[in-house]
Amino acid sequence: MTEDVKVRRTMRKSTSGDGASPASASGTRARAKATPPQMVFDLFADVAPELTCGVDEVGRGPLAGPVVTAAVILDPSRPIKGLADSKKLTALRREALYEEIVERSLAFCIAEASVAEIDSLNILHATMLAMQRAVRGLSRVPTLALIDGNRCPVLPMRAEAVIKGDDKVPAISAASILAKVARDRQLAALHDEFPQYGFDEHVGYGTPRHLEALRTHGPSPHHRQSFAPVREAFEIFGTLTVSRAVRSS
């Protein structure tokens, strides 16, 4: 207890609200009953305010690649303009905001669940696992986690689901941007290895071009075997038939 708190407690016991001495012991007891709420406020005056992190995922629907999540604790003293659902931003704007979020946030973490984990656990549980990794990877421990969507992973702190939170809560918007940019970069790198699938165009989603590539070339090691179009391609080709492609100059 600080010396300041001790002084204020002593003053409350010895004086009345107008500075006069208490008339009786009963008056002192009555004032003592009213003192604790104020004392609680005083004792916890130096405790840091609640730290809230926003959490979002990218990549639940694609046929290939990991599901990527991010957790972000924004710094109120360093606001970032233009935060929004990553799907509503251009790629150029997302890249610019990505750099601002990394520079200005109090803490952030990008995590993922692999294709093998998706196939083993199913996409929902793999997403929850990736969210847990993102929150636990923060350099500062939040007291509240706001999760985009209608379900929350099991976390050591209070968590609340926010439907369409990536368009309502700035910290969730920031998380969606980090996750989207990080995953898009991964799929661009996969395109360099496997250009026949067009990962740079559809980032793993089941577009007509992607489905046609699966039927023509079979699945790559980065395709999710538990997803129906990929499973059907495996049934046709039997095993993984695609090796890393050598790009011609």
Side-chain angles (χ1 to χ4, degrees):
M1 182 179 298
T2 65
E3 190 63 28
D4 181 57
V5 172
K6 289 180 180 178
V7 170
R8 277 179 281 180
R9 176 180 286 176
T10 302
M11 290 176 65
R12 290 191 183 98
K13 288 182 177 179
S14 60
T15 62
S16 64
D18 57 3
S21 299
S24 65
S26 61
T28 300
R29 286 194 297 271
R31 281 188 297 277
K33 291 180 181 179
T35 298
Q38 180 62 43
M39 287 305 303
V40 170
F41 176 81
D42 291 339
L43 288 170
F44 289 93
D46 296 329
V47 175
E50 184 173 82
L51 282 180
T52 300
C53 74
V55 184
D56 201 4
E57 56 75 26
V58 173
R60 286 183 63 171
L63 306 179
V67 58
V68 177
T69 62
V72 179
I73 302 176
L74 293 175
D75 185 348
S77 68
R78 305 185 72 191
I80 301 172
K81 294 182 179 180
L83 292 175
D85 176 2
S86 61
K87 297 185 292 295
K88 296 183 178 181
L89 301 170
T90 65
L92 189 62
R93 185 61 183 143
R94 286 195 298 266
E95 288 283 350
L97 285 168
Y98 179 99
E99 298 303 328
E100 284 194 62
I101 295 164
V102 168
E103 179 186 353
R104 297 188 182 188
S105 62
L106 290 175
F108 74 92
C109 180
I110 301 170
E112 65 179 55
S114 68
V115 168
E117 289 171 323
I118 292 169
D119 287 337
S120 173
L121 300 173
N122 77 39
I123 185 59
L124 173 61
H125 290 96
T127 300
M128 296 295 108
L129 174 62
M131 286 183 171
Q132 290 173 332
R133 288 169 174 166
V135 174
R136 290 171 179 169
L138 290 168
S139 60
R140 300 182 66 168
V141 179
T143 53
L144 171 65
L146 298 178
I147 315 295
D148 182 57
N150 59 5
R151 301 188 67 157
C152 294
V154 176
L155 295 170
M157 71 285 297
R158 184 163 57 96
E160 296 178 8
V162 184
I163 296 175
K164 296 184 178 180
D166 51 4
D167 211 23
K168 299 176 181 177
V169 181
I172 298 179
S173 300
S176 75
I177 292 167
L178 292 191
K180 172 65 174 169
V181 171
R183 190 176 189 281
D184 284 358
R185 290 175 179 177
Q186 287 195 38
L187 271 292
L190 283 186
H191 177 71
D192 290 338
E193 299 180 62
F194 303 96
Q196 56 269 57
Y197 296 105
F199 288 135
D200 62 331
E201 174 189 306
H202 52 65
V203 294
Y205 284 89
T207 63
R209 177 187 175 184
H210 192 183
L211 295 175
E212 180 59 30
L214 277 172
R215 289 189 290 265
T216 302
H217 303 289
S220 78
H222 301 281
H223 279 91
R224 302 172 181 178
Q225 299 181 39
S226 55
F227 281 48
V230 180
R231 185 169 60 249
E232 292 167 3
F234 267 106
E235 291 172 355
I236 295 171
F237 285 85
T239 59
L240 294 176
T241 59
V242 180
S243 59
R244 293 186 178 185
V246 178
R247 299 178 67 88
S248 58
S249 58

